[in-house]
Amino acid sequence: MFRYSWEGKTYLEMAKKFKYDPGYIKDVGLQLWRSLSQILDEKVTKNNLYGVVKRTGQEQNAEGVTKR
């Protein structure tokens, strides 16, 4: 779900690929976005996933939390 959303795939495309009902895929996605929203303390959706993850990574780098 995360990977295909990151790649810009639709729920319908994911459902066809994995042979699941589109409604089920959407429900699973909504659960994922809720969990990520709680973890990151910012609303996460399929459409803003990339921006939220990128911004969170940049903030952590700026704070010195993430070390290479």
Side-chain angles (χ1 to χ4, degrees):
M1 177 68 60
F2 186 96
R3 176 181 163 197
Y4 287 98
S5 294
W6 187 270
E7 293 174 354
K9 304 292 187 210
T10 66
Y11 289 128
L12 184 57
E13 289 171 318
M14 290 181 230
K16 285 180 180 179
K17 178 167 181 65
F18 296 106
K19 298 182 173 117
Y20 280 101
D21 179 77
Y24 174 76
I25 295 293
K26 187 172 182 178
D27 289 344
V28 170
L30 291 173
Q31 291 174 9
L32 175 60
W33 311 138
R34 281 189 203 122
S35 296
L36 287 173
S37 294
Q38 288 179 341
I39 292 166
L40 299 174
D41 198 30
E42 180 175 351
K43 183 172 175 129
V44 178
T45 67
K46 183 177 174 302
N47 295 322
N48 74 357
L49 174 64
Y50 180 82
V52 171
V53 171
K54 184 175 179 182
R55 183 171 42 260
T56 301
Q58 289 171 339
E59 289 170 0
Q60 288 182 349
N61 281 334
E63 294 171 3
V65 175
T66 305
K67 307 239 183 219
R68 291 183 184 211

